[in-house]
Amino acid sequence: MLISLNKKLICLGKKFINYDVLVAICRSINLFKHTAMKLSPVKKYGSLFVLMILAIHTYAQSKSEWIYPDAQGKLVYKALPAGDKIMDFSYAGYMGGGVSIPDVPVKATVNPADGDNTDAIQSAIDQVSKMPLVNGLRGAVLLAAGQYSCSKTLNISASGVVLRGSGSGEKGSVINMTGDPHVCVAVRIRPSVTASGPKTTLADAYVPSAAKTFNVAGASGFAVGDIIQIIRPVTPEWLAFMGMDRLVRDGKKETWVSGEIATERVIQNISGNSITVTVPLSDSYDAKYTGPVTVQKVTVKGQESQIGIENFRIISQAQSVTITQGHNSGINMGGITDGWIRNMEIFNTVNSVSITGNRITVDNLSIMHDVPTLGAAKPADLNGSGSQILFNNCKITGDNVFYLATGPKVSGPIVLLNCVFKGGGWIQPHQRWATGLLVDNCQVPNGGIEFMNRGEMGSGHGWAIGWAVAWNCTAKSFLNQMPPGSANWLIGCKGSIEHGSMPFEKGAPNLPDGIMDSHNKPVDPQSLYLTQLGERLGKQALKNIGY
């Protein structure tokens, strides 16, 4: 920004208001971050310069009626009639958000060799996996710069192990996928979850989405720090209420959701029969449709943690295939708590990155496709089917893909932050009732963001998402639908708005639209996730994750 001011005007501006106060104001609204401003022009031109920028910022930003900062900068939340509101998404990410990813010391180094390098790399991983844990970490396996042909999956199965390259560029560490179709790197832990203590039921007739506190029939035997599962049965009443009891395709009945939906949380506080959990609930519980909801203490065994994959490149040959054909995938990470993927470049994999673990950060990931996958069924470049997952600063270029999809019965928070997805693809939660998704400051210039009822698509995917928010996003198109007893929001988003009925129901009326606020005009704060994180944990938490 070029501003010409004479010396007298600069002096007048410097007297207008204290410089340090203005800098504090600008920092509080992330002004320097979002306008790429530095302090030097502020010092040069004085406080008038800052006031002008503040005026532009205020003019450009609108205020959402659902979340907005009060006079002191604290976020104010508007609730729906039953008490539901937009949840605090700031718990997404490594260690529950706002924690720096560690730089783990190197304990083994692998150099590239002619032929298949799989066994050499796996041997180094296994060697480090046997080392003792020190503060939860064992060590990193470093891939020296160069080209590595690998024909099989590299498996990490022990806590505290990191697979690290010497850079994700052409001259860094490059794994070339050869052989039969496979996943390049996998973390496939299978922990066991068993009932291990007291059991009770929810006493509230209605527990709203985003709540952290609820009442139970009896809290005796529970303790702070206990892991609990909140288990709601899938009842015929709820299926009928959601309109998911009548899914029929090609004359065959389809099943949307069955059994139970379990959400895992940790007890933070107990007061009488009132329990407070550490992370807000991503769904509501209405006794009219759920019947008794169980709260059960559980024990988790065999779960690993502190596993990282970072700083290298994965290359597959271009794959012009359908998703049912054999294909190379990039990274699978499941069954762990507290892990990360960062500074990675991935080329031409299908169903590229799948996350089914908890408290995972995926940071600075780039996925590129030379050719689109074939067929109507689309792969998911990012599969977010765990909980407390943060996808930060990810970039994807490709056609005929879901940039992000979710699996069945997923309980958030799941966050896409500052991501850019180019090509003909969609951010589209995929199937069978995931809850608690935030798409924050993401761009899909030639594709769409869709919170929808997918009806009989797939095998009866039905309502894919509830309690989802798109915040200050830009897309070619948005489809935002309102599930019964739930809500989805578009706030401060730019792009055309679409409407639609449930797929395969010819002539049916359009489904109700979700909530839309400040369309085509961004709102303040610029980032909901970062503002919630800063409010909960302070400015250092933002610095810890690079903001």
Side-chain angles (χ1 to χ4, degrees):
M1 182 181 295
L2 298 176
I3 296 178
S4 178
L5 297 171
N6 62 49
K7 292 183 179 180
K8 290 184 180 180
L9 196 55
I10 294 173
C11 292
L12 180 62
K14 288 181 177 178
K15 294 178 181 179
F16 199 65
I17 191 169
N18 181 271
Y19 162 75
D20 291 330
V21 171
L22 280 170
V23 169
I25 293 171
C26 289
R27 289 190 193 280
S28 73
I29 60 173
N30 289 325
L31 186 59
F32 296 119
K33 177 72 179 178
H34 297 296
T35 63
M37 284 177 57
K38 304 297 182 184
L39 293 183
S40 54
V42 180
K43 291 178 179 178
K44 179 177 180 181
Y45 294 118
S47 300
L48 186 59
F49 178 88
V50 182
L51 287 172
M52 294 175 68
I53 298 300
L54 280 169
I56 294 170
H57 176 83
T58 302
Y59 177 79
Q61 301 291 108
S62 183
K63 185 174 86 169
S64 169
E65 65 175 293
W66 293 96
I67 302 181
Y68 58 89
D70 64 13
Q72 288 72 44
K74 184 176 176 60
L75 291 177
V76 177
Y77 294 75
K78 176 184 175 180
L80 290 163
D84 306 281
K85 59 184 181 180
I86 293 173
M87 74 181 297
D88 184 347
F89 289 97
S90 70
Y91 297 85
Y94 173 73
M95 298 294 288
V99 177
S100 299
I101 294 172
D103 186 10
V104 179
V106 174
K107 294 298 178 70
T109 300
V110 180
N111 292 293
D114 294 336
D116 194 346
N117 287 254
T118 307
D119 291 343
I121 299 173
Q122 188 64 57
S123 177
I125 292 171
D126 295 343
Q127 173 191 343
V128 174
S129 298
K130 295 175 183 177
M131 294 180 178
L133 286 167
V134 179
N135 297 323
L137 301 170
R138 288 188 166 92
V141 174
L142 177 65
L143 303 179
Q147 303 283 325
Y148 297 80
S149 294
C150 290
S151 64
K152 295 177 291 186
T153 298
L154 300 169
N155 291 289
I156 305 174
S157 57
S159 292
V161 176
V162 174
L163 180 60
R164 177 186 301 152
S166 299
S168 61
E170 292 180 353
K171 296 183 179 180
S173 304
V174 180
I175 293 181
N176 295 295
M177 300 182 70
T178 60
D180 294 332
H182 63 281
V183 178
C184 184
V185 185
V187 182
R188 298 188 182 113
I189 313 298
R190 292 178 174 83
S192 63
V193 180
T194 56
S196 60
K199 179 171 71 172
T200 186
T201 56
L202 289 181
D204 299 313
Y206 190 86
V207 177
S209 177
K212 288 186 67 179
T213 300
F214 48 85
N215 295 305
V216 295
S220 177
F222 292 95
V224 172
D226 283 350
I227 302 172
I228 59 173
Q229 283 189 342
I230 304 163
I231 305 168
R232 63 177 295 171
V234 175
T235 63
E237 293 81 5
W238 186 55
L239 291 175
F241 175 64
M242 298 296 289
M244 295 288 96
D245 58 340
R246 51 186 176 85
L247 298 178
V248 178
R249 184 173 179 182
D250 297 329
K252 298 179 181 179
K253 180 175 174 56
E254 294 182 323
T255 299
W256 176 54
V257 177
S258 61
E260 301 170 333
I261 300 177
T263 297
E264 195 173 284
R265 291 292 186 262
V266 176
I267 295 178
Q268 182 178 28
N269 186 54
I270 300 174
S271 178
N273 287 328
S274 177
I275 290 178
T276 300
V277 291
T278 55
V279 178
L281 301 175
S282 63
D283 201 357
S284 61
Y285 298 84
D286 190 338
K288 289 185 297 184
Y289 304 110
T290 64
V293 174
T294 300
V295 179
Q296 170 73 65
K297 178 183 175 181
V298 297
T299 296
V300 181
K301 294 182 179 179
Q303 185 164 263
E304 306 295 334
S305 64
Q306 305 297 332
I307 295 175
I309 300 167
E310 58 188 32
N311 299 327
F312 59 94
R313 176 177 287 201
I314 297 170
I315 296 180
S316 166
Q317 290 186 347
Q319 302 176 91
S320 186
V321 297
T322 67
I323 63 171
T324 58
Q325 294 176 283
H327 53 260
N328 287 329
S329 297
I331 301 170
N332 285 0
M333 182 175 280
I336 72 168
T337 291
D338 296 318
W340 65 90
I341 299 168
R342 61 174 172 175
N343 303 330
M344 296 289 298
E345 293 189 5
I346 301 178
F347 291 80
N348 292 320
T349 55
V350 175
N351 288 319
S352 297
V353 174
S354 177
I355 307 296
T356 55
N358 301 320
R359 302 204 315 195
I360 308 295
T361 289
V362 180
D363 183 56
N364 194 28
L365 167 73
S366 176
I367 300 172
M368 284 157 278
H369 301 276
D370 291 331
V371 297
T373 49
L374 303 177
K378 300 167 182 58
D381 259 341
L382 301 176
N383 172 23
S385 293
S387 185
Q388 294 179 257
I389 303 172
L390 171 63
F391 296 96
N392 178 52
N393 193 31
C394 295
K395 299 175 179 64
I396 300 174
T397 300
D399 294 317
N400 200 37
V401 297
F402 291 126
Y403 298 122
L404 172 90
T406 51
K409 303 180 181 180
V410 169
S411 298
I414 299 167
V415 176
L416 281 175
L417 176 65
N418 292 332
C419 297
V420 179
F421 303 138
K422 295 181 179 180
W426 296 264
I427 296 172
Q428 187 186 104
H430 197 55
Q431 60 170 308
R432 296 182 168 90
W433 203 240
T435 53
L437 169 69
L438 171 63
V439 185
D440 187 338
N441 279 269
C442 292
Q443 300 177 43
V444 195
N446 297 306
I449 297 175
E450 299 182 337
F451 304 150
M452 64 180 292
N453 183 341
R454 301 189 77 238
E456 289 91 353
M457 296 178 76
S459 54
H461 292 168
W463 281 109
I465 191 73
W467 310 114
V469 181
W471 184 276
N472 283 348
C473 293
T474 300
K476 182 179 179 181
S477 65
F478 293 87
L479 177 59
N480 182 41
Q481 297 178 331
M482 193 81 159
S486 181
N488 292 314
W489 286 266
L490 298 182
I491 300 176
C493 294
K494 296 181 179 180
S496 67
I497 303 299
E498 296 184 348
H499 314 276
S501 59
M502 198 164 79
F504 300 105
E505 293 200 352
K506 295 182 179 180
N510 288 340
L511 292 168
D513 289 333
I515 298 169
M516 186 167 63
D517 183 21
S518 191
H519 182 54
N520 282 332
K521 189 171 184 181
V523 297
D524 186 31
Q526 180 66 35
S527 167
L528 178 58
Y529 175 82
L530 294 176
T531 304
Q532 289 178 325
L533 182 64
E535 183 168 292
R536 182 169 67 90
L537 295 177
K539 293 181 179 179
Q540 185 58 47
L542 301 178
K543 294 180 181 178
N544 290 343
I545 64 169
Y547 288 93

